[in-house]
């Protein structure tokens, strides 16, 4: 399906680029121990909010470093690793690539991260809502470029968005409700749709992330589109 869509984009002179950011929670319990505990009362790798905390990320660095190195060896470009709000919650971000490549890397990364955690006697979950605190999101960054890499969303001459970008926004908004079947495919995904949380609860867009608190928003100077949604598992 994705290959067909990117082929259609190429026929119009575009290539589709995508990047994903997956949040996950690290537990000091192994997967077998989690099973024995019926997945209750697990011990998170951090006991407090480590959002943007260097010390907090450092406490989990042996695991994070190994995941980064293994993904680099698999051909992915690691851009960052940081702590998040939930206890034991972290995120590793990778550089964008062509959409099909990113989709493949996304699946490889999720599977490999779990295997690496298992090898280190820990466990990882990408579940959208593993507990009552902040859930795990998947931020999807989308953009179009010309086949020769020129910008198609931003007109340098006029300093404004292009019509192509406006149509792109309109298409994303028009299909947002139907595409939620892909964005949030599980019952657990919908548990994250709570007003006042970091999860999107409306179909809207804004030029920055802060005021939106919505399903999607545009990045500065219309170079890319970012969608925030609950991840599947």
């Amino acid at each position: 399906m994705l290959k067909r869509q990117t082929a259609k984009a190429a026929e119009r002179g575009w290539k589709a680029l995508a990047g994903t950011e997956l949040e996950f929670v690290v537990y000091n319990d192994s997967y077998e121990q989690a099973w024995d505990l019926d997945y209750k009362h697990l011990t998170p790798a951090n006991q407090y909010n480590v959002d943007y905390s260097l010390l907090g990320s450092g406490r989990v660095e042996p695991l994070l470093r190994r995941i980064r190195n293994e993904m680099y060896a698999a051909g992915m470009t690691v851009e960052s690793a940081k702590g998040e709000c939930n206890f034991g919650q972290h995120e590793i971000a990778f550089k964008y690539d062509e959409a099909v490549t990113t989709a493949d890397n996304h699946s490889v990364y999720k599977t490999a991260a779990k295997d690496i955690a298992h090898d280190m006697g820990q466990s990882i979950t990408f579940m959208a809502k593993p507990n009552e605190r902040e859930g795990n999101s998947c931020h999807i960054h989308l953009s179009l470029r010309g086949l020769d890499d020129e910008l198609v969303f931003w007109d340098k001459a006029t300093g404004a968005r292009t019509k192509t970008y406006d149509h792109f926004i309109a298409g994303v908004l028009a299909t947002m409700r139907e595409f939620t079947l892909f964005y949030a495919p599980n019952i657990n995904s919908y548990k994250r749709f709570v007003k006042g949380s970091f999860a999107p609860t409306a179909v809207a867009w804004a030029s920055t992330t802060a005021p939106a608190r919505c399903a999607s928003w545009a990045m500065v100077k219309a170079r890319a589109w970012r969608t925030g949604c609950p991840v599947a598992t």
Side-chain angles (χ1 to χ4, degrees):
M1 183 186 299
L2 181 57
K3 287 182 177 179
R4 289 199 301 270
Q5 295 303 315
T6 54
K8 289 182 179 180
E11 291 174 0
R12 293 174 174 265
W14 303 323
K15 61 179 177 181
L17 302 176
T20 58
E21 300 175 18
L22 280 166
E23 296 169 354
F24 55 87
V25 175
V26 181
Y27 295 104
N28 287 332
D29 311 271
S30 69
Y31 286 105
E32 289 73 20
Q33 290 169 332
W35 170 273
D36 291 338
L37 291 170
D38 198 25
Y39 300 100
K40 298 176 182 178
H41 309 298
L42 305 184
T43 303
N46 301 99
Q47 303 294 316
Y48 57 95
N49 182 333
V50 296
D51 196 14
Y52 291 99
S53 167
L54 295 178
L55 179 62
S57 296
R59 296 285 296 275
V60 194
E61 179 59 12
L63 173 62
L64 299 181
R65 180 174 62 248
R66 184 170 170 191
I67 294 175
R68 294 196 308 268
N69 289 343
E70 295 289 355
M71 295 305 98
Y72 179 78
M76 303 178 204
T77 301
V78 179
E79 290 197 327
S80 65
K82 64 175 289 293
E84 292 287 348
C85 294
N86 200 344
F87 297 165
Q89 189 178 45
H90 294 266
E91 172 188 280
I92 299 176
F94 301 89
K95 185 179 180 180
Y96 64 87
D97 208 322
E98 295 196 23
V100 174
T101 299
T102 292
D104 290 340
N105 288 344
H106 181 100
S107 297
V108 170
Y109 162 56
K110 286 182 67 175
T111 301
K114 294 175 184 178
D115 280 343
I116 293 169
H118 168 73
D119 192 49
M120 299 186 68
Q122 296 174 290
S123 56
I124 283 177
T125 181
F126 293 94
M127 285 181 66
K129 195 70 172 176
N131 53 40
E132 294 302 314
R133 289 186 57 86
E134 297 83 3
N136 291 316
S137 181
C138 173
H139 299 143
I140 304 172
H141 298 258
L142 299 173
S143 64
L144 295 177
R145 292 281 183 90
L147 297 181
D148 57 357
D149 268 344
E150 77 274 12
L151 294 177
V152 298
F153 281 169
W154 188 255
D155 189 327
K156 293 182 179 179
T158 62
R161 300 192 312 265
T162 63
K163 287 292 185 182
T164 299
Y165 184 67
D166 289 342
H167 291 313
F168 187 89
I169 292 175
V172 172
L173 295 178
T175 58
M176 183 63 67
R177 288 183 172 85
E178 289 79 4
F179 275 27
T180 301
L181 289 172
F182 297 101
Y183 296 143
N186 297 329
I187 293 174
N188 184 262
S189 305
Y190 282 86
K191 292 182 178 180
R192 193 166 172 264
F193 290 135
V194 178
K195 290 184 178 180
S197 70
F198 290 111
T201 57
V203 177
W205 79 282
S207 59
T208 59
T209 63
R213 286 288 184 264
C214 60
S216 300
W217 51 80
M219 303 302 283
V220 177
K221 289 195 175 179
R223 292 177 181 172
W225 177 273
R226 167 168 161 162
T227 299
C229 49
V231 296
T233 57

